[in-house]
Amino acid sequence: MIATEKTVEQEQPISNIEWDVERVREDFPVLSQTVNGKPLVYLDNAASSQVPQVVIDRGSKYLQEEHSNIHRGVHYLSQRATTAYEGAREKVRRFINARDSRECIFVRGATEGINLVMHGYGRKFVGEGDEIIISAMEHHANIVPWQMLCEEKGAHLRVIPINDAGELILDEYDALLNERTKLVAIAHISNALGTVNPVKEIVARAHKMGVPVLADGAQSAPHMVVDVQDLDCDFFAFSGHKMFAPTGSGVVYGKRELLEKMNPFQGGGDMIRTVTFEKTTYAGLPNKFEAGTPAIASQIGLGAAIDYLNSINREQAVAYEHELLRYATEKISSIEGVRIIGTAREKASVLSFIVEDVHPHDIGTILDQEGIAVRAGHHCAQPVMQRFQVPATARASFAFYNTREEVDTLARAIEKVIEVFS
Ligand SMILES: *Cc1c(COP(=O)(O)O)cnc(C)c1O
């Protein structure tokens, strides 16, 4: 029934990758816990990744020494808070290689970033009969805002289909692009399937038609080296809590020419230049899009998470994760009764699977008893489940602090699930 040992050489070291995973694990205090009497095996990184001590310390330092509102005060603390907050923005700029830090708008996360583009760009530039292209593998955060817009404007949503491996069918994309297309919004990496989409190519084809592209980078920012100028995408949204920073932090990047033409998102303090009852004029970038007091501590934490990522060898981290995913795919797929959902050639970090005759929630529950955290459900991507005709999947998602031993523990626990239900 179980054919893992034969097909996978466990002792073989990960070749050409210098990665001291035990050393890296020490940076993340959460990981040394036990759960249900077992060492925690945290494989739910696609939902939220863990936070290193240096990021926790940076947040504490702000609260202990700098807590104050930004931009408005001339006093010492406010200036320190503003410096730290704007410093984090510059770190974000370098992290994604944006031209100008004013193109990096702080938001609560990818969801808010996409909604900002929907309100600021969509409601201004999309009209009746226009079309927006998304794909069949989008997270609900990159579906629902566009549906809401289409409903409001009488516009239409067009969906690029995917093949059985979970890859976009690019010929169909070409067929969808036309003079009514007003925006393409596409996941850089699918959170449900792990597919890495060819965003650069998608952008190039859209730009030939003069159509801007939003890349949903919630899964790529933590697991790839991202360069928005190289991708040439017009918008790029991501969440801090999936890249080793606190919840409430996140960014939507936009090209300056577009951001300047767009409507503001929310109205309030900090986003204005002058206010009278007759007319308000708006502030310049990025303030125009940052109404009210932002999540100052969280965004400073995002800056610290970027410092942390720069302090470890990023290329090696990505290579290590890639190798770990390959190892896990081989090991888990060789268990009889297991089917991997999402077998694209280019994948990152995510292993979705189902076990014959076992509901994914039961898998999740039994794995939890073994101290293993995976996600079971539709992963906020119900259309993906419909495409593969499954109600849900179990999903193990990796970060550079996960180990081969943890994958082995996962494999043993899945075998146990199969035993229980056989
Ligand atoms: C998690 C996720 C989102 C939404 O991110 P939030 O942090 O919940 O705003 C959007 N897209 C993808 C691909 C995701 O994985």
Side-chain angles (χ1 to χ4, degrees):
M1 177 172 98
I2 295 146
T4 51
E5 258 59 33
K6 275 181 268 110
T7 48
V8 179
E9 283 182 55
Q10 287 183 41
E11 304 313 321
Q12 188 191 321
I14 293 180
S15 55
N16 299 326
I17 298 170
E18 281 172 46
W19 191 251
D20 187 349
V21 67
E22 292 308 325
R23 197 10 244 100
V24 168
R25 287 178 71 79
E26 288 169 11
D27 296 336
F28 292 82
V30 165
L31 298 177
S32 54
Q33 289 176 64
T34 53
V35 171
N36 296 322
K38 311 270 168 56
L40 169 66
V41 174
Y42 188 76
L43 298 176
D44 195 17
N45 294 288
S48 237
S49 59
Q50 295 302 341
V51 181
Q53 189 64 50
V54 285
V55 173
I56 299 168
D57 290 346
R58 187 61 191 89
S60 305
K61 183 180 149 93
Y62 165 77
L63 294 171
Q64 285 179 9
E65 301 175 14
E66 302 168 330
H67 180 68
S68 169
N69 214 325
I70 53 165
H71 297 157
R72 287 177 270 246
V74 292
H75 62 78
Y76 174 74
L77 282 188
S78 176
Q79 285 177 5
R80 269 187 71 180
T82 304
T83 302
Y85 182 78
E86 291 305 326
R89 196 189 308 278
E90 172 58 20
K91 289 169 190 182
V92 165
R93 184 199 68 73
R94 259 180 275 146
F95 182 69
I96 58 171
N97 193 32
R99 249 176 245 111
D100 185 335
S101 65
R102 289 172 297 179
E103 295 176 308
C104 302
I105 313 296
F106 279 139
V107 288
R108 268 191 305 126
T111 302
E112 190 171 68
I114 295 166
N115 276 278
L116 183 152
V117 176
M118 185 276 264
H119 283 273
Y121 173 84
R123 295 182 78 189
K124 185 160 181 184
F125 294 109
V126 176
E128 195 173 341
D130 286 341
E131 298 181 357
I132 290 166
I133 298 180
I134 61 168
S135 88
M137 69 173 91
E138 298 309 314
H139 188 284
H140 295 163
N142 200 28
I143 302 174
V144 182
W146 307 121
Q147 271 176 335
M148 293 164 82
L149 179 70
C150 286
E151 198 165 322
E152 178 184 319
K153 298 290 185 180
H156 306 288
L157 204 57
R158 296 283 179 254
V159 182
I160 310 167
I162 56 179
N163 64 22
D164 290 341
E167 295 164 327
L168 294 177
I169 303 173
L170 287 180
D171 289 348
E172 303 271 357
Y173 168 54
D174 290 335
L176 291 175
L177 269 172
N178 66 55
E179 57 289 345
R180 289 184 304 273
T181 312
K182 280 292 174 326
L183 183 77
V184 176
I186 199 93
H188 198 182
I189 298 179
S190 154
N191 68 306
L193 300 168
T195 310
V196 181
N197 286 321
V199 166
K200 195 173 170 174
E201 178 61 28
I202 288 165
V203 169
R205 294 186 194 189
H207 282 181
K208 272 195 197 129
M209 308 282 293
V211 177
V213 177
L214 175 143
D216 172 358
Q219 296 298 336
S220 62
H223 300 292
M224 286 172 79
V225 176
V226 170
D227 180 335
V228 291
Q229 291 189 66
D230 180 58
L231 292 172
D232 203 22
C233 57
D234 302 272
F235 301 104
F236 185 88
F238 60 100
S239 303
H241 70 99
K242 295 183 183 191
M243 51 171 289
F244 321 106
T247 53
S249 64
V251 175
V252 61
Y253 156 86
K255 282 185 183 166
R256 199 171 136 190
E257 316 80 82
L258 276 167
L259 291 174
E260 277 172 351
K261 279 195 279 184
M262 281 159 56
N263 285 334
F265 177 34
Q266 294 171 329
D270 248 15
M271 53 76 74
I272 51 88
R273 183 159 286 135
T274 58
V275 177
T276 65
F277 288 117
E278 289 69 40
K279 183 164 175 63
T280 290
T281 57
Y282 303 124
L285 300 176
N287 304 53
K288 172 178 155 187
F289 292 105
E290 294 182 13
T293 302
I296 302 168
S298 294
Q299 303 292 16
I300 292 173
L302 175 59
I306 290 171
D307 284 342
Y308 176 78
L309 287 171
N310 292 336
S311 78
I312 61 175
N313 184 329
R314 198 75 207 297
E315 279 80 12
Q316 291 292 306
V318 170
Y320 173 81
E321 277 184 21
H322 198 264
E323 180 53 28
L324 193 65
L325 178 64
R326 191 201 59 74
Y327 177 74
T329 304
E330 209 167 303
K331 184 123 193 167
I332 307 300
S333 64
S334 65
I335 302 172
E336 208 176 299
V338 171
R339 184 179 143 211
I340 308 285
I341 304 291
T343 50
R345 274 157 298 178
E346 298 289 331
K347 276 188 72 172
S349 166
V350 166
L351 189 64
S352 259
F353 60 94
I354 53 171
V355 177
E356 227 168 77
D357 303 327
V358 187
H359 194 279
H361 286 135
D362 293 327
I363 302 174
T365 305
I366 295 177
L367 295 192
D368 180 55
Q369 287 161 8
E370 302 294 317
I372 305 169
V374 297
R375 174 93 10 165
H378 53 61
H379 319 297
C380 297
Q382 286 183 6
V384 172
M385 303 299 123
Q386 288 147 19
R387 168 65 179 76
F388 287 91
Q389 298 183 322
V390 292
T393 73
R395 180 187 71 187
S397 53
F398 304 96
F400 49 66
Y401 44 62
N402 291 121
T403 66
R404 285 188 161 212
E405 292 70 31
E406 289 180 317
V407 171
D408 296 340
T409 306
L410 172 67
R412 278 195 302 275
I414 294 171
E415 283 157 7
K416 201 163 170 178
V417 169
I418 292 171
E419 265 168 43
V420 170
F421 282 87
S422 65

